[in-house]
Amino acid sequence: MASILSVGTAVPPYLMPQDVARHLTGEHFRDQIANVDKYLTVFKSALVDQRHFCVEPEWFGRDHSLADKNRLYLDWAGRLCTEAIRTALDRAGLEAGDIDHFIFVSSSGIATPSLDVSIINALGMKPTIRRLPLFGLGCGGGAAGLALAGKLAGDDENATVLLVAVELNSLTFQRDDFAKSNLVAASLFGDGAAAVIVRGGAAGPINILKSTTLLRPGTHNLMGWDFVDTGFRVVFSRRVPDTIRAMMPESVANTLADEKIETGDVASFVFHPGGTRILEAYQDELHREPSDFRASYAVLSQFGNMSSATVLFVLDDEIRNAPHESGDYGLLAAFGPGFSAETTLLRWA
């Protein structure tokens, strides 16, 4: 058994209202996409009201090298992770030196040594801390990281595990990419970091019961990055929502099997809000109402899709704003490149 003790989140300072993002994107794509106004309607249907970026709006109007973007990534990712970790530690009543394992998840920047080293040094964590940096999991990274944190803590009831997910999607915008997928990404993605503290045993407010992964063959090209001279170019297929629909019944059934419960027994759904069509796929396949995904819609509205960190923002919202009784089941899930489903069964203590 392992328990979630706390969650902390952080976002950068530049707030981008959706109408401003729509205007800037329209100006950029207008001469490159015929009838661009038809495609700009995605900014309304995305159900995003605002997002936070680590760069000011003017930054998107200039060219930037991969080196320049990565320097910004290292600076801002370090700041946001540190803020999120301090919040999580404070909420758990712990010190930085209490952490035994550090799982670091990110797919929007590069560092060797991985960025967790500078964070460990800045916060004064113990030199014997076990590090596990994860790259390339994309939107599924937060859920996959939580599953791993639960495994590490479950194997040692004395272990305290820190999971951190950070993505700075604003820095991956490609000015010379006039594909419609890039326009859609501009309507949806934001920046943020989240930290979760997991401990062995059942002492925390939320117990981690079981986690599963499901990889679907032949779908590796649906989502990810193309690496080009100017950085990370987004790959996002229109087939993603349909693939999620196809995978979800098996993924959820695998996760619930040991507890012998049905989806109707689940009180809360902590799902990554990848976009409107993805939320609709969740609702249809699980036969639930939009209100059952309240936290997912709330996070999408206020922060957009922050890739790996997003599902942990949803978890934070669910903990702080949704009433739960002892014994309530929760289902946490995210889908990411691979194409993979990462699902965890939770129970409120």
Side-chain angles (χ1 to χ4, degrees), residues 53-239:
F53 293 149
C54 69
V55 289
E56 69 279 8
E58 293 76 19
W59 184 89
F60 296 98
R62 303 188 294 269
D63 290 325
H64 306 277
S65 68
L66 172 58
D68 288 340
K69 292 176 182 178
N70 207 61
R71 277 191 289 268
L72 283 170
Y73 168 84
L74 295 175
D75 179 20
W76 276 105
R79 292 196 224 178
L80 296 175
C81 289
T82 300
E83 181 182 345
I85 292 168
R86 284 177 171 151
T87 299
L89 288 169
D90 183 63
R91 289 175 175 174
L94 298 176
E95 302 292 336
D98 296 323
I99 302 300
D100 301 303
H101 302 266
F102 190 154
I103 302 169
F104 179 78
V105 177
S106 188
S107 296
S108 50
I110 306 167
T112 301
S114 51
L115 190 59
D116 52 307
V117 172
S118 61
I119 297 168
I120 288 167
N121 292 334
L123 291 176
M125 294 180 174
K126 56 193 177 189
T128 55
I129 193 169
R130 300 294 298 272
R131 300 165 43 228
L132 195 57
L134 303 176
F135 178 87
L137 294 171
C139 292
L146 185 65
L148 183 55
K151 173 64 174 172
L152 289 172
D155 287 345
D156 179 1
E157 65 179 16
N158 297 313
T160 302
V161 183
L162 172 65
L163 162 67
V164 177
V166 60
E167 305 293 359
L168 301 179
N169 296 301
S170 61
L171 301 179
T172 69
F173 180 73
Q174 298 293 319
R175 293 187 70 242
D176 63 347
D177 179 6
F178 297 102
K180 296 181 182 67
S181 59
N182 196 30
L183 185 150
V184 172
S187 74
L188 189 60
F189 287 99
D191 300 346
V196 182
I197 297 176
V198 178
R199 176 171 282 175
I206 303 175
N207 298 328
I208 299 174
L209 300 184
K210 181 182 179 181
S211 297
T212 64
T213 295
L214 180 65
L215 190 65
R216 189 174 179 86
T219 59
H220 62 279
N221 60 345
L222 297 188
M223 182 187 291
W225 299 122
D226 277 339
F227 294 96
V228 296
D229 290 343
T230 51
F232 299 33
R233 177 170 290 175
V234 67
V235 175
F236 189 77
S237 170
R238 296 179 63 183
R239 292 170 49 202

Side-chain angles (χ1 to χ4, degrees), residues 18-38:
Q18 188 74 329
D19 58 346
V20 175
R22 181 187 184 280
H23 172 74
L24 292 175
T25 304
E27 291 300 302
H28 182 72
F29 283 87
R30 191 163 301 282
D31 295 333
Q32 304 294 330
I33 297 179
N35 301 317
V36 69
D37 288 333
K38 178 178 71 173

